[in-house]
């Protein structure tokens, strides 16, 4: 792995357009045993959270009129706990079920394929593509897939609107047209569309701990990465309203895990004038729109970045995707587990007997924090310059960052560096020095210091505390999650 491509906060911060001098405000508590893997997962997680926390501190200092950006401290323990927040969640003592029976690896006639069928409609499409009845068993699916090639299954299920991806090595992904397209893109695409007056936000009266206070965020995301981003913006003081179609409910436990600090409403934009009018009224006073559906899926509602630049000049648009908005897979659905399989991560982390997986859904969580960081930086830049700003991270591009130095795709020196924490230190400015890693100061074992409990309308919750912190706060969300779709579609 080269220094320039390594998963460091310096690389992420630079990719987001941040001032490198601010890296001297960041320090890290390094813990051995956190997110152990062959690939540098701990370093990637730390970098994504560090960049997000630094972006929050930067905006907070600007709005509070501080002469210096508050100090940011990233603790590997908090980061590792948050990156598996869905595993730490308890609802009245009950642990969530992470994956449905048909979401797993399967042997094919020539290799492996992974499917995602947590949602009922994806399960139905998977079975339909395989010519199996709705109630087909795991054994029946396994028998069917064993007779087909992995790529044949991938193509057939995708054509039916389902989700299945063939296992590829890093070398095979690099030769794939989509892999090449992803590799040619920046870690986070960002830029400006059109022109407009600079953004005006009220000052924070010397308190930088709620840098997003006063921002209205329209949350049109699902699953993990997008909701993690908007959950983080809510932590930082934004009024975040998640809006879903009433006929497509989020998985209950998933919504609980990522719903902290937010409100949840439903609107049907496809039927009836009333819901569409309510949505347009929300949009008319929104400061940020974050979308997490496959690229192009919301364009018919005037929600592309270009359309929003015309309809709501000066708005910040965050657009999350699995594979990017480019290349032959640019319009495909995808999830963290499937991106790991396509990009060679499952091959690296596995064995000759079976593919493996990262110790966390790190592409989802990491990309979520990068998205939140990008939105915060866009808001900061908008205080000086006009125009609609867009931020576009992709799970596959985060995966490319993680695997950038893997060489032959079997761990090698990168894996050893990951396990030892011997990532090269990044250099800071002449005003100080910055180190993203170094010898472990402690070990990571019991996650209890980074867990909390709270009562909610959903029951007694145990949950992971947020890892984004600076100047001693913010330490927790202002409100627990509520039932999906139970809130009124209005701003506070």
């Amino acid at each position: 792995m080269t220094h320039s491509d390594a998963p460091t906060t310096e690389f992420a911060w630079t990719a987001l357009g941040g001032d490198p001098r601010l890296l001297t405000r960041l320090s890290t508590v390094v813990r051995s045993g956190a997110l152990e893997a062959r690939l540098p997962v701990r370093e990637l997680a730390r970098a994504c959270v560090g960049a997000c926390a630094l972006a929050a501190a930067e905006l907070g200092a600007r709005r509070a009129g501080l002469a210096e950006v508050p100090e940011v401290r990233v603790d590997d323990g908090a980061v590792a706990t948050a990156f598996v927040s869905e595993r730490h969640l308890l609802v009245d003592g009950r642990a969530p079920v992470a994956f449905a029976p048909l979401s797993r690896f399967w042997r094919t006639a020539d290799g492996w394929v992974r499917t995602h069928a947590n949602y009922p409609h994806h399960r139905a499409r998977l079975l339909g593509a395989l010519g199996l009845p709705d109630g087909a068993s795991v054994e029946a699916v396994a028998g069917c897939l064993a007779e087909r090639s992995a790529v044949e299954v991938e193509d057939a299920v995708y054509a039916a609107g389902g989700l299945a991806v063939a296992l590829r090595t890093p070398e095979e992904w690099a030769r794939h047209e989509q892999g090449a397209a992803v590799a040619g893109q920046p870690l986070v695409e960002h830029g400006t569309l059109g022109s407009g007056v600079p953004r005006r936000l009220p000052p924070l009266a010397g308190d930088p701990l709620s840098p997003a206070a006063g921002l209205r965020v329209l949350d049109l995301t699902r699953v993990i990465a997008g909701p993690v981003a908007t959950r983080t913006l809510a932590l930082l003081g934004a009024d975040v309203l998640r809006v879903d179609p009433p006929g497509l409910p989020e998985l209950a436990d998933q919504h609980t895990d990522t719903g902290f600090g937010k409100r949840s409403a439903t609107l049907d934009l496809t039927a009836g004038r009333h819901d569409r009018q309510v949505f347009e009224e929300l949009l008319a006073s929104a400061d940020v729109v974050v979308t997490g559906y496959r690229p192009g899926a919301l364009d018919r509602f005037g929600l592309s970045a270009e359309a929003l630049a015309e309809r709501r000049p000066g708005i910040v648009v965050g657009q999350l995707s699995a594979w990017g908005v480019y290349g032959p897979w640019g319009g495909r659905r995808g999830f963290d587990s499937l991106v790991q399989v396509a990009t060679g991560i499952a091959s690296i982390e596995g064995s000759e007997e079976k593919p493996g997986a990262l110790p966390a859904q790190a592409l989802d969580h990491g990309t979520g924090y990068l998205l939140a960081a990008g939105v915060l930086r866009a808001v900061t830049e908008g205080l000086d310059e006009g125009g609609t700003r867009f931020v576009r991270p992709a799970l596959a591009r985060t995966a490319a960052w993680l695997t950038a130095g893997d060489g032959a795709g079997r761990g090698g020196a990168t894996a050893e560096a990951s396990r030892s924490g011997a990532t090269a230190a990044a250099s800071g400015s002449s005003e100080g020095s910055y180190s993203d890693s170094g010898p472990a100061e402690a070990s990571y074992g019991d996650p209890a210091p980074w867990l909390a409990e709270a009562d909610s309308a959903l029951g007694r919750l145990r949950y992971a505390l947020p890892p984004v912190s600076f100047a001693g706060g913010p330490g927790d969300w202002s409100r627990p999650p509520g039932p999906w779709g139970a809130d009124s579609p209005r701003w506070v």
Side-chain angles (χ1 to χ4, degrees), residues 46-116:
R46 179 195 299 149
C48 294
V49 171
C52 185
L54 196 56
E58 176 191 34
L59 178 58
R62 176 68 183 275
R63 295 187 62 193
L66 303 183
E68 194 170 39
V69 169
E71 292 185 355
V72 173
R73 192 164 180 83
V74 179
D75 192 313
D76 281 351
V79 173
T81 303
F83 264 59
V84 291
S85 60
E86 62 274 10
R87 299 181 200 170
H88 291 301
L89 178 69
L90 293 177
V91 182
D92 285 334
R94 177 188 60 81
V97 175
F99 287 98
L102 299 188
S103 296
R104 48 169 285 185
F105 286 107
W106 309 85
R107 276 197 179 277
T108 63
D110 62 350
W112 292 88
V113 71
R114 183 154 190 171
T115 56
H116 195 288

Side-chain angles (χ1 to χ4, degrees), residues 311-370:
R311 301 170 63 199
R312 185 82 169 95
I315 201 168
V316 174
V317 185
Q319 295 177 305
L320 174 77
S321 64
W323 309 105
V325 298
Y326 34 74
W329 286 17
R332 290 197 178 191
R333 301 173 179 86
F335 293 93
D336 181 304
S337 59
L338 303 182
V339 176
Q340 289 190 40
V341 172
T343 59
I345 291 173
S347 174
I348 295 169
E349 296 292 342
S351 64
E352 293 183 2
E353 289 74 33
K354 188 176 181 179
L358 298 176
Q361 294 191 66
L363 305 181
D364 262 334
H365 286 271
T367 308
Y369 289 110
L370 288 176

Side-chain angles (χ1 to χ4, degrees), residues 467-480:
V468 173
S469 180
F470 57 94
D476 203 346
W477 288 276
S478 61
R479 55 177 287 165

Side-chain angles (χ1 to χ4, degrees), residues 209-227:
L209 296 184
S210 296
L215 290 176
R216 291 175 168 176
V217 179
L218 197 54
D219 178 1
L220 307 177
T221 68
R222 296 182 65 79
V223 197
I224 296 178

Side-chain angles (χ1 to χ4, degrees), residues 11-295:
F11 184 89
W13 184 244
T14 301
L16 292 163
D19 183 346
R21 293 174 296 180
L22 296 185
L23 288 165
T24 61
R25 306 301 295 164
L26 184 145
S27 62
T28 304
V29 178
V30 180
R31 297 181 187 272
S32 63
L35 299 174
E36 288 188 321
R38 293 176 180 168
L39 289 166
V41 179
R42 178 182 63 172
E43 287 74 12
L44 178 137
R46 179 195 299 149
C48 294
V49 171
C52 185
L54 196 56
E58 176 191 34
L59 178 58
R62 176 68 183 275
R63 295 187 62 193
L66 303 183
E68 194 170 39
V69 169
E71 292 185 355
V72 173
R73 192 164 180 83
V74 179
D75 192 313
D76 281 351
V79 173
T81 303
F83 264 59
V84 291
S85 60
E86 62 274 10
R87 299 181 200 170
H88 291 301
L89 178 69
L90 293 177
V91 182
D92 285 334
R94 177 188 60 81
V97 175
F99 287 98
L102 299 188
S103 296
R104 48 169 285 185
F105 286 107
W106 309 85
R107 276 197 179 277
T108 63
D110 62 350
W112 292 88
V113 71
R114 183 154 190 171
T115 56
H116 195 288
N118 284 5
Y119 290 96
H121 59 292
H122 290 156
R123 182 180 186 277
R125 292 169 186 172
L126 169 65
L127 294 175
L130 301 179
L132 295 172
D134 183 51
S137 65
V138 169
E139 292 74 19
V141 174
C144 180
L145 293 176
E147 299 174 352
R148 306 187 185 191
S149 74
V151 173
E152 177 189 354
V153 172
E154 178 182 271
D155 290 341
V157 175
Y158 167 70
L163 292 141
V165 172
L167 177 73
R168 292 175 173 84
T169 65
E171 297 86 355
E172 289 170 335
W173 180 244
R175 294 192 297 268
H176 192 279
E177 190 176 350
Q178 187 64 30
V182 169
Q185 297 295 324
L187 178 60
V188 179
E189 294 180 88
H190 57 93
T192 305
L193 296 169
S195 60
V197 297
R199 180 179 300 278
R200 294 286 182 263
L201 290 173
L204 294 179
D207 179 10
L209 296 184
S210 296
L215 290 176
R216 291 175 168 176
V217 179
L218 197 54
D219 178 1
L220 307 177
T221 68
R222 296 182 65 79
V223 197
I224 296 178
V228 163
T230 52
R231 181 181 70 180
T232 303
L233 296 175
L235 169 75
L236 299 169
D239 179 10
V240 180
L241 178 64
R242 173 167 168 166
V243 176
D244 288 280
L248 194 62
E250 182 62 280
L251 300 175
D253 291 331
Q254 204 156 258
H255 169 71
T256 301
D257 177 51
T258 59
F260 284 87
K262 300 188 278 188
R263 293 174 298 115
S264 170
T266 61
L267 289 171
D268 188 347
L269 304 186
T270 64
R273 183 177 300 177
H274 177 265
D275 280 14
R276 186 60 186 268
Q277 181 178 347
V278 171
F279 180 81
E280 292 296 328
E281 291 171 355
L282 290 171
L283 180 61
S285 56
D287 300 291
V288 179
V289 173
V290 184
T291 65
Y293 291 76
R294 63 182 175 84

